[in-house]
Amino acid sequence: MKFPLMLPDFAKPGTTNGYAFLIYHSVAGDLNFELDLPVALFRRQMEFLARVGCVISYDKAVTALHSKNAPLQNTFVLTFDDGFANFYKNVFPVLKEFQIPATLFVTTGFVEDGIAYSIQRHRDHAEAKPVTWEILGEMVQSKLVTLGAHTHTHPNLAGQPQDQVIEELAKPQALFRERLGLEVRHFAYPKALWNPAVEKLVAEYYATAVISGGRKATPEYFNPYRIPRIPIRRSDGWLFFRAKTRGWLAGEEALYVRLRKLHAA
């Protein structure tokens, strides 16, 4: 449980400037892990973002960052990792309702083989079905969903030999091209883990890559292969969600990243 915070109104001066790339994973509410949000909570968050700020596409944000353009206050970018089937059932209708763009980073091996994601968190275990190629194609046609790659089998790339890393980077591109006729330009590191050697290889295949970090992306410190994102968790509650959209809880995410690296070592 997190301690409650007394936060000032979202729109008051003092908001940290930058592009807030938010990370979501699952939106169903029936999976026993932190990164699965109830549908009603997710919809409330989207209504809030659409009302108080400006939700722009991933490509538009990257172009602005490259151009060193300062964002408007309360500028958000939605990203989703993995490619759960509940994205189509629970997220896509909300995106259409509020006309909000989003980028979905897909682990192509699960889609290609139709294998359920096995989610293990401590003693809790759950499984979630992946989307299908047909569904991905339909969502791309809407112009609201952009697809990115999240490797083929979701390994920790920092712990893989070079030839395996190359396969994990190249195979998703080949599948997107073959199944959907798409050239995929953006990448998300599994578990937000990477090292300089992995980053160098990613740069040979993709135009950008996203990590975690918990802070906003700013033109002053922009690295296209280390775009920071802000994870949204079930336990955030409403006040912590609002704080995260302002970039206030970067220290919390830095601790999560450190723990993930220690666990992967």
Side-chain angles (χ1 to χ4, degrees):
M1 180 178 294
K2 297 182 179 180
F3 296 104
L5 290 179
M6 294 301 294
L7 300 178
D9 185 80
F10 186 92
K12 287 183 178 179
T15 299
T16 303
N17 288 327
Y19 297 88
F21 286 70
L22 306 182
I23 317 173
Y24 290 88
H25 288 75
S26 173
V27 178
D30 58 0
L31 300 177
N32 192 24
F33 79 118
E34 266 284 84
L35 300 178
D36 176 44
L37 270 65
V39 179
L41 175 61
F42 174 74
R43 186 189 178 282
R44 184 187 179 196
Q45 291 177 353
M46 295 304 101
E47 188 277 332
F48 175 76
L49 296 182
R51 175 168 51 84
V52 304
C54 177
V55 184
I56 65 175
S57 71
Y58 184 101
D59 283 306
K60 186 173 182 179
V62 167
T63 298
L65 286 163
H66 272 299
S67 302
K68 307 298 182 184
N69 292 335
L72 298 173
Q73 194 175 50
N74 306 335
T75 304
F76 309 104
V77 180
L78 295 184
T79 69
F80 293 77
D81 284 4
D82 299 325
F84 296 118
N86 61 49
F87 181 94
Y88 180 71
K89 179 182 178 182
N90 299 326
V91 174
F92 190 46
V94 177
L95 300 181
K96 290 190 291 185
E97 178 184 357
F98 295 108
Q99 287 297 291
I100 292 175
T103 294
L104 176 62
F105 292 99
V106 180
T107 308
T108 52
F110 294 96
V111 179
E112 181 70 4
D113 298 331
I115 300 173
Y117 291 87
S118 181
I119 303 163
Q120 190 74 41
R121 293 293 186 275
H122 305 296
R123 296 182 180 179
D124 299 325
H125 178 265
E127 290 189 346
K129 293 181 179 180
V131 291
T132 65
W133 289 115
E134 291 77 14
I135 285 174
L136 289 173
E138 176 187 337
M139 293 192 295
V140 168
Q141 289 298 316
S142 74
K143 306 298 184 184
L144 288 175
V145 178
T146 299
L147 299 180
H150 197 36
T151 71
H152 189 64
T153 65
H154 204 272
N156 170 14
L157 293 180
Q160 303 297 317
Q162 179 173 307
D163 59 343
Q164 184 63 37
V165 173
I166 291 173
E167 182 176 352
E168 291 287 344
L169 299 177
K171 196 160 188 177
Q173 288 187 327
L175 283 170
F176 277 117
R177 196 176 296 120
E178 179 182 346
R179 302 293 187 230
L180 300 176
L182 288 179
E183 295 295 331
V184 173
R185 303 175 57 248
H186 308 302
F187 181 78
Y189 300 98
K191 302 179 183 179
L193 297 174
W194 84 102
N195 59 31
V198 168
E199 181 179 320
K200 184 177 180 180
L201 289 172
V202 169
E204 295 179 11
Y205 288 86
Y206 296 93
T208 71
V210 289
I211 57 173
S212 186
R215 61 181 178 83
K216 294 185 177 183
T218 61
E220 295 83 0
Y221 303 102
F222 178 57
N223 179 337
Y225 295 99
R226 299 184 191 179
I227 300 175
R229 296 188 293 170
I230 302 169
I232 305 301
R233 297 182 173 88
R234 181 189 297 183
S235 64
D236 288 339
W238 192 244
L239 291 178
F240 272 81
F241 168 73
R242 291 179 65 175
K244 283 186 171 184
T245 61
R246 300 188 71 162
W248 283 4
L249 299 182
E252 177 195 47
E253 187 54 31
L255 177 59
Y256 275 110
V257 171
R258 177 62 177 165
L259 291 174
R260 280 198 299 271
K261 289 181 178 179
L262 289 173
H263 180 73

